[in-house]
Each structure stands twice: as C-alpha cells, then as structure tokens.
Amino acid sequence: MLELRHLRTLTALRSSGSLVRAAQLLNLTQSALSHQVKLMEERYGAPLFERKSLPIAFTATGMRLLQLADQVLPEVEQAERDVARLSQGDRGQLRVALECHTCFDWLMPVMDAFRQRWPDVEIDLVSGFHSEPVDLLRSGQADLVIGSAGGPEYTVFPLFRYEILVVLAQKHRLATQRRLEAPDFEGETLITYPVPEERIDLIREVLRPANVRFERRTAELTVAILQLVASRRGLAALPNWAIKNYVDYDYVLSRPVGEFGLWSDLFVSVPPALAAKAYVSDFVGVIREQCARTLDGITLLS
C-alpha cells in the first residue's frame, strides 16, 4: 500500500538531490531508505529515478508519484497544523537570537516560509550583537537560540554539521598549501567576530592545544571580515556556506584545517515550556528542509 512516508521519501529525494542527504532529512539510515525505495519499485515494476544521476533525475513513474505527493502532502501538513492550532492555540511568539552570526543568509528564507505556515505566530530576530545569546534565554529576552547546544536546562533540537574553512587572500603566503595545520597560524592575525575565544572553534580546538601564538582582530559583519582578509589584514575561519560565493568568484581562497577538516554542529535551543509547541518543532523542520536543499557541504544531525 502506498503510504504517506513513501510520498515524503520522494519529496525528500527531490529536495536534497541524493540518497545520502534524503536519509538524513528523514532521520533514516541510507540502507533503510534504499530498502524502502526498492520495495516501491518492486510494487510498481519500474525504477523511480536514474541511479547514476546527480542531482537525482526521476523517471516518468517517479514524476507521477511526485505529482501525487505535491497534491496530498501539503493538505496533510496543513491539517496537522490546524489540529495543533485547535489543541494548542494558533498564536505565539518566537524571538530568535543567533550565536551563529553567519546564519543570516539562510535564516531569512526560513522565516518567510515559516510565516506562511504560521501567520499568527510573531517571529522576529533579537536585534543587536550578542556575545552570549543563551543569556537572552535566561533573562527572557529571547525564546529560541540558534547556535551550539544551549545547556542541560534547555531543550535542544539538532540541525546540521558543517565544515569550518580558513579564508585567506589570493596571494597569502599559505595560499599554495592544500590544507592548514596548527603551526601554519603562528604569528598570523585571526579576524573573528567579537565573541569570547572559547566560542571560536579554530582557537579552542586547534590553536590553543598546540600553543600557537597569534594576533586577533574583530569585526561584527561577515562582509567586513572578508574584506579584511582580501586586503591581506589576516585570516578568518568561517562556515563553508558563508564563503562559497566569495570563493567561487575568486575574491578569497579557502582551505580545510587538518587532515579531516574542522567541523561544528548547529542546534536550536528553547526553554522546556516552549519545546512542545507545534510551531517550534515546525520551525526546526523548516530549517532542516530548507538547509538540506540549499546549503552545500552540510550533514543533517539526527
């Protein structure tokens, strides 16, 4: 029997573009997803997509089922939201604070999509630069923080893992290296956001353990950091999605850190009283769906 989970699988394959990312989006193992697809193909006696195409290219059979999914799933999801509104109320407030200062690029489309689903939930960004956004939860000035895990007193929703890359000028002395190791940063100037050093992954995970001496300069805006890097005022360490366009247009270069790269995880933290609200879990779901579709090089967390 064709089930809603089968239709969700097809839409996840379309939005993510690959079996690996679709499995992450659906919180399934890749083998479980492959088995589900195989059973569907056996049922209909035809493949659903071309096996060696990236992104996934659907067959006529797959396209017809996707057409059904596009008709049915929005109605089901709307009904689920309506039921949640009846049981929990349809009004609320989400004041969002960011620990991840490069998240603005992808957060704006997420907020737009969320407003369409929950028009009576007021969602806003907490203005200003905050070195410790979780403190805003404690003081009641924010309802939700996007960043590292907020601590045991909060409910934490996993988002995704991303790579932090070192950004350097085209003619920097390290530009010829394929990757950078801790000693390469000796005597360099590291350009960062004005946050405590323990919140900067490169410093905490790489430079401090190796006792590397470095200078530090700060800027509040990502574009300002990249301008300083391009003018050879120092190096920066930023998420892969934040620098992709600048690297693609040869404004700056990027290099991984170490043999296996430097990776960080992103979460949503909320007070326990808000965690059960349907609009909170839906907001998390919108983030995961949008980012799986639009951000290269991330891995959804389960």
Side-chain angles (χ1 to χ4, degrees):
M1 179 182 294
L2 186 64
E3 301 176 18
L4 290 177
R5 64 189 179 99
H6 298 140
L7 299 180
R8 291 190 172 110
T9 291
L10 290 171
T11 58
L13 286 167
R14 179 178 60 189
S15 64
S16 63
S18 73
L19 279 167
V20 173
R21 298 186 76 175
Q24 296 168 358
L25 189 60
L26 296 165
N27 289 324
L28 295 174
T29 64
Q30 188 176 345
S31 60
L33 180 60
S34 297
H35 181 67
Q36 186 183 124
V37 169
K38 181 181 178 182
L39 291 178
M40 291 174 65
E41 291 179 330
E42 289 177 353
R43 170 179 173 79
Y44 295 108
L48 299 177
F49 55 87
E50 303 295 337
R51 285 299 190 270
K52 294 184 179 181
S53 62
L54 280 176
I56 287 176
F58 288 90
T59 63
T61 301
M63 290 299 295
R64 180 62 185 90
L65 292 174
L66 272 172
Q67 185 181 32
L68 175 64
D70 289 338
Q71 295 171 345
V72 172
L73 290 181
E75 289 293 326
V76 172
E77 291 164 1
Q78 183 61 54
E80 290 175 338
R81 286 192 291 273
D82 291 342
V83 170
R85 290 186 179 99
L86 290 171
S87 62
Q88 299 181 5
D90 61 355
R91 297 184 180 276
Q93 178 178 255
L94 273 183
R95 295 164 298 168
V96 180
L98 296 177
E99 180 183 319
C100 165
H101 304 288
T102 51
C103 294
F104 285 102
D105 289 344
W106 55 257
L107 185 58
M108 296 301 106
V110 165
M111 293 174 67
D112 289 341
F114 177 80
R115 287 188 179 104
Q116 293 179 15
R117 298 188 187 198
W118 295 89
D120 293 317
V121 174
E122 190 68 27
I123 181 168
D124 287 300
L125 286 172
V126 179
S127 62
F129 190 92
H130 307 282
S131 60
E132 294 289 350
V134 174
D135 288 343
L136 298 175
L137 289 181
R138 296 190 179 99
S139 65
Q141 295 175 271
D143 305 299
L144 180 150
V145 167
I146 298 174
S148 56
E153 69 268 42
Y154 301 107
T155 301
V156 175
F157 297 92
L159 294 178
F160 54 84
R161 174 168 295 172
Y162 60 92
E163 187 174 11
I164 297 170
L165 298 173
V166 175
V167 192
L168 59 158
Q170 290 284 347
K171 295 183 179 180
H172 193 279
R173 67 178 182 87
L174 300 172
T176 58
Q177 297 188 197
R178 294 180 59 187
R179 64 173 184 259
L180 302 185
E181 306 289 349
D184 296 323
F185 294 89
E186 185 72 33
E188 290 287 340
T189 297
L190 183 63
I191 306 168
T192 75
Y193 299 104
V195 299
E197 288 192 355
E198 58 268 19
R199 281 183 44 206
I200 300 173
D201 298 80
L202 180 65
I203 295 176
R204 186 183 65 250
E205 303 292 336
V206 179
L207 302 185
R208 276 185 181 172
N211 294 317
V212 171
R213 294 171 298 175
F214 62 94
E215 300 294 327
R216 186 181 173 203
R217 180 172 179 174
T218 63
E220 292 192 2
L221 300 177
T222 303
V223 65
I225 291 176
L226 290 167
Q227 286 173 344
L228 288 169
V229 168
S231 59
R232 304 182 69 179
R233 299 298 193 273
L235 305 175
L238 294 169
N240 48 9
W241 77 75
I243 62 173
K244 185 178 185 302
N245 289 338
Y246 298 91
V247 173
D248 288 347
Y249 286 98
D250 296 326
Y251 185 64
V252 290
L253 301 175
S254 66
R255 296 290 183 268
V257 180
E259 182 179 358
F260 302 106
L262 177 62
W263 297 82
S264 188
D265 295 341
L266 203 61
F267 302 87
V268 162
S269 298
V270 297
L274 271 181
K277 294 289 186 181
Y279 61 78
V280 171
S281 59
D282 205 28
F283 181 63
V284 173
V286 174
I287 293 176
R288 289 171 60 87
E289 291 167 12
Q290 294 261 20
C291 291
R293 183 169 65 251
T294 61
L295 298 184
D296 292 330
I298 69 168
T299 301
L300 293 176
L301 299 172
S302 57

